[in-house]
C-alpha cells in the first residue's frame, strides 16, 4: 500500500477550494440535490453503460442505483452518468461490427472526459458488454483517481433438449442449417432459447474473460467476475464495491498502484488458466500502455509457457461461467495458482489487501462434486492456450487460441478474401475445401477500420463440420466464442503493407502451433517484388468516427491504442 503520499481525505480541494469564487458551480450542484454539508463529501462518479441495445447492459441501471445509494450511506455524493455500448453479438457479421473495438476508445474517452470535467474524487465503473470493461479500465488508468470496476454479470445458459445453449450455439446453428444437419424449425428453436435473460455471453468468451482478468488484476472484488447478472448477489456485490471505494479514498490507493507489471502477469496467468479469449491480449496490452507498464505481446508467450489451462469452459469445453462460479470462481482458480507459485501474492487490490490476503480463506482445492476446475496435475493442457505466432506473415506477432484443437499444424493453399462478407459467402456456397487456409485481410485496426471479429465465418465453418479441416488467418479479431485452427491479430496488417497484403490465391501457408510459426512459402526476393507492385487501398471512411479511428490507431501488436 502506498505510504509516501498524503491521504486523500480533504476532498474540498477538487470542488470548493476557492470558496465563494466558485459559488456558481455550487449553485449548479444544488440544483441536482446537493445541500450544504454535501460539498465536504467525496464526489464519486457512477459511470455505467445502461442500455437496452444488448442484454449484456440491460441490467446496469439497477446496479448504478444500488451503487449510488450505498455511496450516499457511506458518506459520499454520487454523480451518475452513462456511456455507450456496441453489442458484438448483434453487430457480428455486419458493417456495424467495425464500431465494436472503436467503442472501447469512445467509452474510455467519455468516462475520462466526464471525470476530468466534473473534478470527481473517485469513480465506480459498471459495465457489461465486451468493450465496456477495457474501456472503463483505460479511463481509470488515465485518470488515476480511486476507482473500482463492477461487472454487470454473465447471462445464464439457455436450454434446449437437455443441453446448454449460448449465443455461439445460434451462430453455429446457421452453418448446421446450411449444411443440412438441422432443419429450419431446429434453427429457430436454438435462436429463441440461446439467450434467456440479461447478462453478457455465457461461456468464457470475451466479456467473462475480461471480467476474470480484472478480478485477477486486482481492480474488482473477489468472486465478482463470474456472478450471474440476474442473481441477487450481483446487487450485493455492487454495494460492497461502492463501500470499497472509501477504503481506496482513505488510503489513497490509486489504479496505477494496483495495475503493476506483476498484476498484469497475474491477469495473463488467470486468462490462460480459464481458457480465455484472444481479445484479452489486445485489451491487456492497451490497458498496460495507458498505465505506463512495459508489457509486450511476447510477454504473453512467456507467461503461457508456465501457466496451465485447467478450467473446462466453453467454447472449446463443456461448461459456462455460472458453473465456474458455483465451483469456486476466480478466487479458487487463483488460490490453486498461488499455491503452485504461479501468481504474485503481494500485489495490492481494491480491497486494500494483497492477493494473498484476499485468498487466505479460499480452499486449496475445489470440491470433488465438480469437474469445471480440474486438478493442476491433470490440466487440459500443461501450458496456456493463447499462442503468439511469428514468421514472415506476422513479424510483429499474431495470436491463436489452441484449446480443443486437434490439428496443431496445417500447410495448405491460401484462399484469399478482402473482407469478411466475401469469405462468408464462399463458406456458405461450399467453395471451401478441406486443407484450405482461409485468408481474410484488410480487416485490421486501420484497414477495416475497426478490426472486426470473425465469429460468423468461423461458426459457419464449425457448423458445416469443417472446424478441424481448414485453417483461417486474418488481421481482424475473433470472438471469444471462436475455436478451431484460427489465427488473428496478424501484424503488420494488410492496410499498412504487411505480408498478408501480398498473398495470392494458392500461395502455400504454414500454421505451426508447436513451432509458433506463421509463414507463406515465398522467399524474400518474391515478397519484395510483390511489395513494389502493391498500393494501399483507400481507407473506406473519409469522415466521422471510423475515419478518425483509422488515422489514430496503432498496430494490434501494441493493443490497437489511439493515444
Amino acid at each position: 500500500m502506498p505510504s509516501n503520499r498524503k491521504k486523500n481525505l480533504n476532498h474540498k480541494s477538487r470542488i470548493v477550494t476557492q470558496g465563494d469564487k466558485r459559488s456558481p458551480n455550487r449553485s449548479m450542484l444544488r440544483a441536482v440535490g446537493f445541500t450544504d454539508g454535501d460539498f465536504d463529501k467525496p464526489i464519486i462518479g457512477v459511470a455505467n453503460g445502461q442500455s437496452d441495445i444488448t442484454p449484456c447492459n440491460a441490467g446496469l441501471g439497477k446496479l448504478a442505483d444500488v451503487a449510488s445509494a450505498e455511496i450516499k450511506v457511506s458518506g459520499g455524493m454520487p454523480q451518475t452518468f452513462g456511456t455507450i455500448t456496441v453489442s458484438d453479438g448483434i453487430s457480428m457479421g455486419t458493417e456495424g461490427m467495425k464500431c465494436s473495438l472503436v467503442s472501447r476508445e469512445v467509452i474510455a474517452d467519455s468516462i475520462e472526459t466526464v471525470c476530468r470535467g466534473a473534478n470527481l474524487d473517485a469513480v465506480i465503473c459498471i459495465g457489461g458488454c465486451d468493450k465496456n470493461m477495457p474501456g472503463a479500465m483505460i479511463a481509470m488508468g488515465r485518470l488515476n483517481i480511486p476507482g473500482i470496476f463492477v461487472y454487470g454479470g454473465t447471462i445464464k445458459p439457455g436450454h434446449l433438449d437437455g443441453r446448454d445453449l449460448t449465443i455461439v450455439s445460434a451462430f453455429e446453428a446457421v452453418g448446421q442449417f446450411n449444411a443440412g444437419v438441422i432443419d429450419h424449425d431446429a434453427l429457430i428453436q436454438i435462436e429463441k432459447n440461446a439467450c434467456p435473460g440479461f447478462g453478457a455471453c455465457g461461456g468464457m468468451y470475451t466479456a467473462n474473460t475480461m471480467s476474470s482478468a480484472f478480478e485477477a488484476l486486482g481492480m474488482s472484488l473477489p468472486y465478482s467476475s463470474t456472478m450471474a447478472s440476474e442473481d441477487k448477489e450481483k446487487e450485493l456485490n455492487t454495494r460492497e464495491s461502492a463501500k470499497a471505494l472509501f477504503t481506496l479514498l482513505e488510503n489513497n490507493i490509486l489504479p496505477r498502484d494496483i495495475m503493476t507489471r506483476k498484476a498484469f502477469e497475474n491477469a495473463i496467468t488467470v486468462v490462460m488458466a480459464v481458457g480465455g479469449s484472444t481479445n484479452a491480449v489486445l485489451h491487456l496490452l492497451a490497458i498496460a500502455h495507458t498505465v505506463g507498464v512495459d508489457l509486450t505481446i511476447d510477454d504473453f508467450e512467456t507467461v503461457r509457457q508456465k501457466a496451465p489451462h485447467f478450467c473446462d469452459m466453453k467454447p472449446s469445453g463443456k461448461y459456462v461461467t455460472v458453473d465456474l462460479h458455483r465451483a469456486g470462481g476466480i478466487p479458487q482458480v487463483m488460490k490453486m495458482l498461488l499455491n503452485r507459485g504461479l501468481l504474485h501474492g503481494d500485489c495490492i487490490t481494491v480491497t486494500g489487501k494483497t492477493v494473498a490476503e484476499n485468498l487466505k480463506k479460499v480452499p486449496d482445492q475445489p470440491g470433488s462434486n465438480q469437474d469445471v476446475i480440474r486438478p493442476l496435475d491433470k490440466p487440459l493442457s500443461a501450458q496456456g492456450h493463447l499462442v503468439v505466432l511469428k514468421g514472415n506473415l506476422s513479424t510483429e506477432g499474431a495470436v491463436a487460441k489452441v484449446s480443443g484443437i486437434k490439428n496443431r499444424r496445417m500447410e495448405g493453399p491460401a484462399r484469399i478474401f478482402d473482407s469478411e462478407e466475401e469469405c462468408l459467402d464462399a463458406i456458405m456456397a461450399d467453395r471451401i475445401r478441406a486443407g484450405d487456409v482461409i485468408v481474410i485481410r484488410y480487416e485490421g485496426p486501420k484497414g477495416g477500420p475497426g478490426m472486426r471479429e470473425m465469429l460468423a465465418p468461423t461458426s459457419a465453418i464449425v457448423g458445416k463440420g469443417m472446424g478441424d479441416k481448414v485453417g483461417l488467418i486474418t488481421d481482424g479479431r475473433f470472438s471469444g466464442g471462436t475455436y478451431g485452427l484460427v489465427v488473428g491479430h496478424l501484424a503488420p496488417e494488410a492496410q499498412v503493407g504487411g505480408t498478408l497484403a501480398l498473398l495470392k490465391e494458392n500461395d502455400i501457408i504454414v500454421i505451426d502451433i508447436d513451432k509458433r510459426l506463421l509463414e507463406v512459402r515465398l522467399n524474400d526476393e518474391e515478397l519484395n517484388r510483390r511489395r513494389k507492385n502493391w498500393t494501399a487501398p483507400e481507407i473506406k471512411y473519409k469522415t466521422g468516427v471510423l475515419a478518425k479511428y483509422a488515422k489514430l490507431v496503432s498496430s494490434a501488436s501494441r493493443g490497437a491504442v489511439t493515444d
Side-chain angles (χ1 to χ4, degrees):
M1 182 181 301
S3 59
N4 59 342
R5 288 199 304 259
K6 183 179 178 181
K7 289 187 176 182
N8 190 24
L9 295 175
N10 181 8
H11 308 285
K12 291 182 181 181
S13 60
R14 300 184 66 83
I15 300 295
V16 293
T17 300
Q18 298 180 50
D20 290 342
K21 292 181 181 179
R22 297 188 66 178
S23 59
N25 310 63
R26 293 165 60 113
S27 181
M28 295 284 285
L29 291 171
R30 288 183 191 279
V32 294
F34 278 61
T35 60
D36 287 346
D38 294 333
F39 294 101
D40 293 330
K41 299 174 182 177
I43 300 178
I44 297 173
V46 182
N48 72 95
Q50 167 64 34
S51 169
D52 61 6
I53 285 175
T54 170
C56 313
N57 288 49
L60 301 187
K62 178 175 65 175
L63 299 183
D65 291 341
V66 169
S68 295
E70 183 56 46
I71 288 168
K72 283 188 175 182
V73 169
S74 297
M77 284 302 292
Q79 291 206 296
T80 304
F81 62 95
T83 185
I84 64 137
T85 194
V86 172
S87 170
D88 290 19
I90 295 171
S91 64
M92 195 75 69
T94 74
E95 192 82 356
M97 186 66 201
K98 294 183 177 183
C99 293
S100 170
L101 187 58
V102 176
S103 75
R104 184 188 76 181
E105 310 309 304
V106 176
I107 292 164
D109 290 350
S110 65
I111 295 173
E112 180 193 8
T113 301
V114 172
C115 289
R116 289 193 191 281
N119 287 307
L120 299 181
D121 294 298
V123 64
I124 181 169
C125 296
I126 306 171
C129 205
D130 295 6
K131 308 309 173 297
N132 299 176
M133 287 173 273
M137 209 62 59
I138 288 169
M140 286 191 281
R142 290 176 186 170
L143 291 161
N144 206 33
I145 58 176
I148 192 168
F149 181 78
V150 174
Y151 178 39
T154 183
I155 198 171
K156 294 180 179 180
H159 300 285
L160 183 66
D161 299 329
R163 61 190 176 107
D164 286 348
L165 300 178
T166 68
I167 185 61
V168 175
S169 307
F171 279 91
E172 291 178 359
V174 173
Q176 292 168 338
F177 171 71
N178 187 263
V181 176
I182 61 175
D183 61 20
H184 187 262
D185 181 64
L187 172 64
I188 296 302
Q189 288 304 310
I190 292 171
E191 174 201 313
K192 288 181 176 180
N193 288 278
C195 297
F198 291 170
C201 300
M204 193 49 68
Y205 310 148
T206 301
N208 288 318
T209 297
M210 297 317 299
S211 66
S212 300
F214 294 164
E215 184 177 326
L217 192 63
M219 289 297 294
S220 295
L221 292 185
Y223 296 101
S224 64
S225 64
T226 52
M227 293 175 178
S229 171
E230 296 184 324
D231 284 353
K232 185 68 175 178
E233 66 177 344
K234 191 70 255 181
E235 292 183 33
L236 299 175
N237 167 253
T238 304
R239 185 173 292 116
E240 291 302 313
S241 298
K243 288 181 183 178
L245 266 180
F246 290 85
T247 299
L248 300 176
L249 277 161
E250 289 168 6
N251 294 284
N252 204 23
I253 300 174
L254 307 178
R256 295 191 185 194
D257 300 319
I258 296 171
M259 291 192 277
T260 63
R261 166 73 188 213
K262 291 197 293 185
F264 278 99
E265 291 177 358
N266 285 350
I268 296 168
T269 300
V270 167
V271 168
M272 297 294 178
V274 300
S277 166
T278 52
N279 285 309
V281 178
L282 198 73
H283 297 323
L284 289 174
L285 284 172
I287 298 161
H289 168 80
T290 297
V291 298
V293 169
D294 183 18
L295 190 73
T296 72
I297 195 170
D298 295 320
D299 293 319
F300 286 80
E301 183 60 33
T302 300
V303 173
R304 182 192 74 83
Q305 293 180 21
K306 298 182 291 185
H309 170 207
F310 60 97
C311 296
D312 193 10
M313 304 291 295
K314 288 181 180 292
S316 59
K318 293 187 290 186
Y319 295 103
V320 293
T321 304
V322 291
D323 298 318
L324 176 60
H325 189 63
R326 284 191 290 266
I330 296 304
Q332 182 65 75
V333 174
M334 292 180 70
K335 183 63 173 284
M336 296 167 70
L337 291 166
L338 182 69
N339 288 346
R340 188 61 68 91
L342 295 173
L343 286 188
H344 302 289
D346 58 341
C347 292
I348 196 70
T349 73
V350 289
T351 65
K353 300 177 181 179
T354 65
V355 166
E357 289 170 334
N358 287 343
L359 299 176
K360 189 174 182 179
K361 295 182 180 180
V362 177
D364 289 335
Q365 299 294 332
S368 59
N369 59 342
Q370 60 82 45
D371 60 349
V372 185
I373 305 173
R374 297 168 62 117
L376 272 176
D377 58 355
K378 295 180 180 178
L380 293 159
S381 174
Q383 295 183 325
H385 66 297
L386 297 181
V387 180
V388 175
L389 307 179
K390 290 192 174 182
N392 63 4
L393 272 172
S394 57
T395 55
E396 293 178 11
V399 183
K401 183 167 70 172
V402 301
S403 50
I405 67 168
K406 296 178 181 178
N407 298 323
R408 296 177 67 87
R409 187 184 189 280
M410 181 170 289
E411 182 170 340
R415 302 297 309 280
I416 309 294
F417 303 97
D418 286 348
S419 73
E420 178 187 9
E421 288 85 354
E422 290 180 20
C423 175
L424 185 60
D425 287 346
I427 295 168
M428 301 305 277
D430 296 320
R431 299 202 304 269
I432 302 299
R433 300 285 181 263
D436 287 346
V437 178
I438 298 167
V439 176
I440 307 178
R441 63 189 180 188
Y442 298 109
E443 290 283 9
K446 285 185 181 292
M451 203 179 181
R452 284 193 287 185
E453 291 180 350
M454 304 293 155
L455 181 60
T458 58
S459 295
I461 290 168
V462 171
K464 282 180 169 289
M466 300 276 285
D468 295 317
K469 299 174 183 176
V470 300
L472 189 153
I473 67 174
T474 180
D475 50 7
R477 297 182 295 130
F478 294 116
S479 161
T482 292
Y483 59 100
L485 191 60
V486 296
V487 185
H489 305 201
L490 268 71
E493 63 174 289
Q495 184 67 40
V496 301
T499 305
L500 199 64
L502 311 179
L503 296 182
K504 295 181 179 179
E505 195 80 2
N506 293 317
D507 284 343
I508 300 301
I509 307 295
V510 177
I511 306 171
D512 194 318
I513 300 301
D514 294 327
K515 292 183 178 179
R516 306 197 304 278
L517 178 68
L518 181 63
E519 69 175 14
V520 57
R521 295 290 197 203
L522 295 172
N523 59 37
D524 291 344
E525 182 180 2
E526 173 62 15
L527 288 174
N528 289 334
R529 184 186 67 80
R530 292 187 185 184
R531 185 167 280 110
K532 289 178 182 178
N533 295 321
W534 175 81
T535 302
E538 289 189 6
I539 297 294
K540 301 175 182 68
Y541 294 82
K542 303 303 181 185
T543 61
V545 68
L546 290 173
K548 187 189 303 182
Y549 183 83
K551 290 177 183 177
L552 294 173
V553 70
S554 76
S555 168
S557 65
R558 294 179 52 218
V561 296
T562 56
D563 63 347

